[in-house]
Amino acid sequence: MKYRNIVFDLGGVLVGLDGPRCIKAFNELGCQRVSEYVERHLTADLFLDIEVGRITTADFCQEVRRLTSCMASDESIVAAWNTLLTTISRERRERLLALRQAGHRVFLLSNTNDMHWVYTRERLFPMDDKTTADFFDRVFLSYEMQLAKPDKRIFLRMMEEGGMLPAETLFIDDNSDNVETACSLGIHTFLNTHIDDWLHADHLFE
């Protein structure tokens, strides 16, 4: 076995992302300023605060209303934000299960927020009688850890808490900055340019 530990990113690796759909949803709520964050892939201020757990979902929704002067409810804002996420194909989910069955330890390391994670856990991952606990040995989420990639501290903490050695670990992510940080720590990496690239890279999992 080449890698004992395989660490997956979430968005753009396991879950498809649809920026235009999310922008449209926020525009329909009258939240054009927030749409600009999505369109320009900004992770500062509002979106960074929710990703590293500095603010709650209620705080996030209130700030969206303040920034945009819209009157949308919390539920409508959360629903609009979750339209960014599309689906996790059955093939991807089956591969995760197969990797665990083959003896790999499978982890998730994601820059995400509680809104996206709850939606993903409850709506996208369930398959037959399987839940997220069946797909991953452990899940590491930025909003719970109050750290975000590419900060090397999130990788160091993940390796310590997950009992991982860099030489035995493969990290799969669609962001080159995140991959670069992982490489600097001795972790093996795969830059996932298109969402299913990793799925067809059989040489990674031999």
Side-chain angles (χ1 to χ4, degrees), residues 20-143:
R21 184 173 71 168
C22 186
I23 290 166
K24 182 175 183 289
F26 274 121
N27 284 341
E28 289 175 350
L29 291 180
C31 300
Q32 284 81 2
R33 187 170 177 189
V34 175
S35 300
E36 293 173 9
Y37 277 77
V38 180
E39 186 172 12
R40 295 166 58 194
H41 304 286
L42 297 178
T43 55
D45 305 326
L46 176 63
F47 284 2
L48 179 61
D49 286 344
I50 194 70
E51 277 199 346
V52 296
R54 291 186 194 132
I55 61 174
T56 66
T57 293
D59 295 332
F60 174 84
C61 294
Q62 184 59 32
E63 184 64 7
V64 167
R65 284 189 289 268
R66 188 191 69 80
L67 286 171
T68 63
S69 299
C70 79
M71 300 299 293
S73 66
D74 287 8
E75 292 78 10
S76 296
I77 292 169
V78 170
W81 187 209
N82 282 339
T83 61
L84 179 66
L85 310 176
T86 60
T87 188
I88 305 174
S89 69
R90 188 178 186 91
E91 188 177 6
R92 288 176 219 138
R93 288 177 290 169
E94 288 177 343
R95 177 59 69 88
L96 293 176
L97 294 173
L99 288 171
R100 292 195 75 190
Q101 290 166 1
H104 297 279
R105 300 171 71 220
V106 179
F107 299 89
L108 181 71
L109 176 65
S110 177
N111 286 358
T112 193
N113 55 78
D114 58 340
M115 294 169 280
H116 282 176
W117 179 242
V118 168
Y119 182 86
T120 298
R121 187 187 68 230
E122 296 180 353
R123 302 281 296 277
L124 302 184
F125 259 116
M127 182 180 75
D128 304 328
D129 60 343
K130 301 291 191 296
T131 66
T132 49
D134 296 292
F135 294 97
F136 301 106
D137 288 85
R138 185 157 174 186
V139 169
F140 296 94
L141 306 173
S142 62
Y143 80 92

Side-chain angles (χ1 to χ4, degrees), residues 155-167:
F155 291 95
L156 293 171
R157 184 168 158 190
M158 174 193 71
M159 287 190 291
E160 180 181 2
E161 294 185 5
M164 305 178 204
L165 295 176

